[in-house]
Amino acid sequence: MRMFNFRTFVGVLAVMFCSAGCGGGSGGALDWVLPSTGTYQINAYINEYSLNECSIIRQNDTVRPYFIHSVADDPDIQGLIVFLQDPLGTVAGKKTWYTVKKGDGAGFIEAADPPPAVEPEITPELPAASEPEITPEPPVAPESEITPEPPLAVEPEKAPELPVTVEPEITPEPPLAVESEVIPEPPLAVEPEKAPELPLASEPEPIAESLVVSESPVYHEPAVPADDYSEIPGLEIKRNVIENWSEYRMIPVDRLDRECPSFKLTETLEIGQYLMVFQVLGETDMLYQIERPIYFLGNAELTFDDIQRYLPGFAANTYFIAPGINILLEAQVVADKRLDAYIVWYNGRKSIGEGRVADGANRLVWKAPEQTGFYTIKAVVFPFRPGQNTGINGMVKELSLAVSSKGRNTGFFSKKADRFMYWYQFQSNLLDSKVPGDERRSLLPKDYQKPQWLTYNRMYGLAVGTADRYLLPDTSFTFGQGEQGSGQLVFQLIPVSEGTLFSAVFKTFDNTHLSPSDPLTMTLSLSKTGIMLTLTFKDIFYEESLSLETLDKQDIIMPCITFSLNRSQIAARVSLEETGMETKEIAVGLTDFLTGEGTFQLGETGAAPEVVAIFDELGVVFTKTPLLPKTKS
């Protein structure tokens, strides 16, 4: 056994010297020791995306490692190991080992799990082969015709001379008989009485061992103890590389090319950040290692389907965007509550917004530039708020927007705008489009809440409901003797649920007691059967309605309230601009006097937050020119 190991070592040295002496050019000893391609560039596809595109991984995702540059002709590489490592440096889950099959069929390995431990020695009979009684035939002198039977090689008459003297021509013959490579069992050639010559006869022992190894060159399942892997034929990796077979999933390959076979990441790991480690293996050592950061989602849901764009109101051409208008961009993200999903928005390479998805940051209002052209909006979604050095690549979507003069500014009431005192288009703000620079003319959130912008079809508008109430600016009237004030409110909206769209409260004064009296209210509300106008004074209700299946269809409607009032009476009616339908006039005589003071409000307080409608536009008119004939009290 010693001599065999020594010869193996000498053979390895000979190969090294031969490589150094006759490699030439790019070959030679250095290529045997160092990687032929220098630093190995390794990456992996997670399903259809590379880690450079998205490094977020779910349980049961498909992982397919690949070399950026082909290594098919690299003689150094004999394997590749891929595994995950947690922030503390502990291996998480199984390691995947791509091992190159040997050209002579001694490749390893087909089984994913280690074979049961088997007695390691396949050749325990070799020492027994040296017993003389088994094979008397292995001749002492095969070259002589007189020695087919080694004990009879000595003539009877010369028997007494044998122990005394040995002929010189006969003594060199036993070593010649031992040198023959045909002798399968050379130890039998040793005779007990010729003890000095026995060491020469024992030299063929390594020949017998090499014959045993060559008899079974293919090893599909290594017959080795579970704690010793250094003797596996066809696998020269050191013992410190293989800790435990149960930690590996083995994938045998004919060669490592640019792309490796894929495997599924079936491990159940904690949600969080990990490193995906790639180790390039040589015959006996690890040649190269690289680590790439990833985020493991496990079974937590995080999807990013697309980016949608919505215009304020309706436009004749929805493909082109008019310069200067505000576009609502919405990233369609669904995130598990166990995650703290985060999004970053870009216009080209410039960051234009970011924040937590739970806080509504997946929606962004972008003002189209005055300069026409194509603009690319990009959104990147992460399962957590990324730091500067995490290296995690999030989910990316892009949207191309065409800003052109062919896109006209939206506004259905544009032709009526000249007669409006206030005109609200809700282009992601509460400003009066008539005088956008005057904050005093803006709608005021009654509960100081942040405006909620909701989408419908290809447009967006202001949410109005029980938790989204807004006050119009000063709506006081001043009445002279016999004068009458008039007003009109025109809405364009999408019905969502039952509830109050608008309410006005007018103050009254009791001249008898010279004190404030019960107010008069006017409300516009939605129901399942239609739209209703109601006047209420001192617990007396006056109603008129229009039958309309508004909630089922959720079509755009344009209700219009027209009213007139003086010190002692009020009259009102409601109509639908799109159909021309209108209610009868409601006229209410008052015992108390209207002071002319009042408040106008969108939405009304309710038991639970609920959106009643999405407002697209609102036009308000106040004049002293009567729009309705005077009614008698």
Side-chain angles (χ1 to χ4, degrees):
M1 196 69 185
R2 267 182 218 163
M3 184 169 291
F4 172 70
N5 291 336
F6 176 76
R7 290 183 179 181
T8 303
F9 176 73
V10 172
V12 171
L13 289 179
V15 172
M16 292 180 64
F17 282 113
C18 180
S19 300
C22 56
S26 61
L30 280 180
D31 284 347
W32 189 84
V33 178
L34 300 177
S36 300
T37 57
T39 300
Y40 299 105
Q41 300 183 40
I42 312 171
N43 207 333
Y45 286 107
I46 308 301
N47 299 328
E48 69 271 22
Y49 296 103
S50 73
L51 290 178
N52 291 340
E53 298 172 294
C54 180
S55 50
I56 299 173
I57 302 178
R58 301 171 179 80
Q59 189 173 4
N60 293 320
D61 272 357
T62 298
V63 180
R64 181 160 51 93
Y66 69 94
F67 289 86
I68 297 177
H69 302 291
S70 177
V71 294
D73 298 328
D74 193 320
D76 300 328
I77 300 181
Q78 298 300 316
L80 174 67
I81 295 180
V82 183
F83 61 91
L84 297 184
Q85 181 176 285
D86 66 19
L88 299 178
T90 304
V91 175
K94 282 192 173 185
K95 296 182 178 181
T96 299
W97 189 341
Y98 297 90
T99 178
V100 178
K101 299 176 182 178
K102 298 296 183 181
D104 58 356
F108 183 79
I109 281 174
E110 295 181 0
D113 296 323
V118 184
E119 292 297 329
E121 270 68 55
I122 306 176
T123 59
E125 299 85 3
L126 289 179
S130 62
E131 296 180 3
E133 63 272 14
I134 298 177
T135 53
E137 302 85 294
V140 178
E143 295 181 359
S144 174
E145 300 86 358
I146 311 175
T147 57
E149 299 177 358
L152 301 178
V154 182
E155 295 181 359
E157 57 273 18
K158 296 180 181 180
E161 299 175 0
L162 288 174
V164 179
T165 59
V166 179
E167 295 181 8
E169 59 274 5
I170 299 174
T171 50
E173 290 179 1
L176 293 176
V178 174
E179 291 177 0
S180 174
E181 302 295 333
V182 186
I183 302 174
E185 298 177 356
L188 298 179
V190 181
E191 293 182 4
E193 50 272 19
K194 295 184 180 181
E197 300 175 359
L198 287 177
L200 296 176
S202 62
E203 291 182 0
E205 182 179 351
I207 300 176
E209 183 177 349
S210 64
L211 289 175
V212 172
V213 174
S214 63
E215 285 174 2
S216 52
V218 180
Y219 286 82
H220 297 291
E221 296 183 358
V224 295
D227 59 348
D228 186 3
Y229 302 95
S230 59
E231 300 296 329
I232 300 176
L235 185 65
E236 305 296 338
I237 305 301
K238 293 296 184 181
R239 186 178 305 180
N240 60 357
V241 177
I242 306 177
E243 298 89 356
N244 190 332
W245 285 113
S246 63
E247 297 178 0
Y248 291 84
R249 61 169 67 87
M250 309 302 299
I251 302 180
V253 294
D254 293 327
R255 63 176 184 173
L256 285 171
D257 206 339
R258 178 164 293 181
E259 295 187 2
C260 301
S262 61
F263 64 91
K264 282 188 176 294
L265 198 64
T266 58
E267 285 80 351
T268 301
L269 307 176
E270 291 186 4
I271 297 173
Q273 298 184 59
Y274 293 84
L275 290 176
M276 181 171 284
V277 182
F278 302 86
Q279 294 178 340
V280 181
L281 305 180
E283 286 287 347
T284 59
D285 297 301
M286 183 174 67
L287 303 178
Y288 181 69
Q289 175 172 311
I290 188 173
E291 302 167 350
R292 293 185 176 273
I294 63 104
Y295 193 95
F296 186 75
L297 289 178
N299 61 357
E301 183 180 14
L302 180 62
T303 60
F304 184 9
D305 293 333
D306 203 358
I307 301 176
Q308 295 290 337
R309 61 97 183 257
Y310 301 92
L311 302 178
F314 297 90
N317 191 324
T318 58
Y319 177 76
F320 294 108
I321 299 171
I325 69 171
N326 291 329
I327 310 301
L328 177 63
L329 302 172
E330 181 180 30
Q332 297 179 327
V333 179
V334 177
D336 195 290
K337 293 181 179 180
R338 291 173 289 176
L339 306 174
D340 188 19
Y342 200 84
I343 186 170
V344 182
W345 292 91
Y346 296 90
N347 177 11
R349 296 185 178 181
K350 180 182 177 182
S351 176
I352 56 176
E354 63 179 85
R356 299 173 65 244
V357 173
D359 294 336
N362 61 311
R363 289 187 173 188
L364 175 74
V365 175
W366 179 71
K367 185 174 182 179
E370 296 296 335
Q371 183 178 357
T372 60
F374 286 91
Y375 295 86
T376 299
I377 301 297
K378 180 174 71 174
V380 186
V381 174
F382 301 89
F384 65 104
R385 181 172 184 172
Q388 294 182 350
N389 300 315
T390 59
I392 302 295
N393 296 314
M395 302 175 179
V396 180
K397 297 292 182 182
E398 293 184 350
L399 176 66
S400 180
L401 300 176
V403 178
S404 171
S405 57
K406 294 181 180 180
R408 70 173 178 86
N409 202 342
T410 57
F412 190 83
F413 295 154
S414 299
K415 295 180 180 179
K416 302 179 180 180
D418 291 341
R419 66 186 184 91
F420 289 153
M421 180 181 295
Y422 302 101
W423 183 27
Y424 302 99
Q425 293 183 278
F426 305 119
Q427 293 192 18
S428 74
N429 57 56
L430 304 176
L431 299 176
D432 176 16
S433 299
K434 298 284 288 188
V435 190
D438 191 348
E439 293 286 344
R440 295 173 300 175
R441 300 172 63 90
S442 301
L443 290 182
L444 177 65
K446 188 172 183 178
D447 303 308
Y448 303 100
Q449 77 276 7
K450 184 179 179 180
Q452 181 182 184
W453 305 103
L454 298 183
T455 61
Y456 172 79
N457 201 358
R458 303 299 297 179
M459 62 157 284
Y460 73 89
L462 178 69
V464 172
T466 57
D468 300 278
R469 300 180 298 164
Y470 298 89
L471 296 175
L472 274 72
D474 182 22
T475 51
S476 297
F477 295 89
T478 301
F479 301 110
Q481 185 65 33
E483 288 183 332
Q484 177 176 275
S486 302
Q488 189 176 61
L489 294 96
V490 184
F491 307 86
Q492 180 165 264
L493 55 89
I494 298 97
V496 176
S497 64
E498 293 185 288
T500 299
L501 296 171
F502 165 80
S503 64
V505 179
F506 299 99
K507 293 182 179 180
T508 63
F509 187 80
D510 186 348
N511 277 340
T512 304
H513 300 86
L514 300 177
S515 63
S517 181
D518 295 335
L520 181 145
T521 61
M522 177 173 63
T523 61
L524 182 68
S525 58
L526 287 172
S527 67
K528 292 182 179 180
T529 58
I531 189 165
M532 180 181 297
L533 178 66
T534 305
L535 297 180
T536 307
F537 181 65
K538 292 187 176 181
D539 297 329
I540 300 176
F541 296 88
Y542 306 88
E543 296 180 348
E544 286 291 339
S545 62
L546 292 174
S547 178
L548 189 68
E549 295 179 0
T550 56
L551 297 180
D552 293 336
K553 295 184 178 180
Q554 289 195 344
D555 289 334
I556 296 172
I557 62 173
M558 288 179 284
C560 174
I561 299 176
T562 304
F563 66 93
S564 65
L565 68 169
N566 56 34
R567 292 177 64 87
S568 59
Q569 67 178 3
I570 183 170
R573 69 170 182 265
V574 63
S575 61
L576 291 174
E577 292 282 307
E578 69 273 22
T579 64
M581 297 172 58
E582 64 178 16
T583 63
K584 295 179 181 179
E585 176 186 302
I586 303 174
V588 179
L590 306 175
T591 56
D592 297 329
F593 295 109
L594 291 169
T595 64
E597 297 180 9
T599 57
F600 284 13
Q601 173 181 300
L602 305 181
E604 188 177 19
T605 303
E610 187 174 12
V611 175
V612 177
I614 302 172
F615 276 51
D616 174 45
E617 285 187 71
L618 170 62
V620 181
V621 179
F622 292 139
T623 68
K624 290 186 179 181
T625 302
L627 300 178
L628 292 176
K630 293 183 179 181
T631 58
K632 296 181 180 180
S633 58

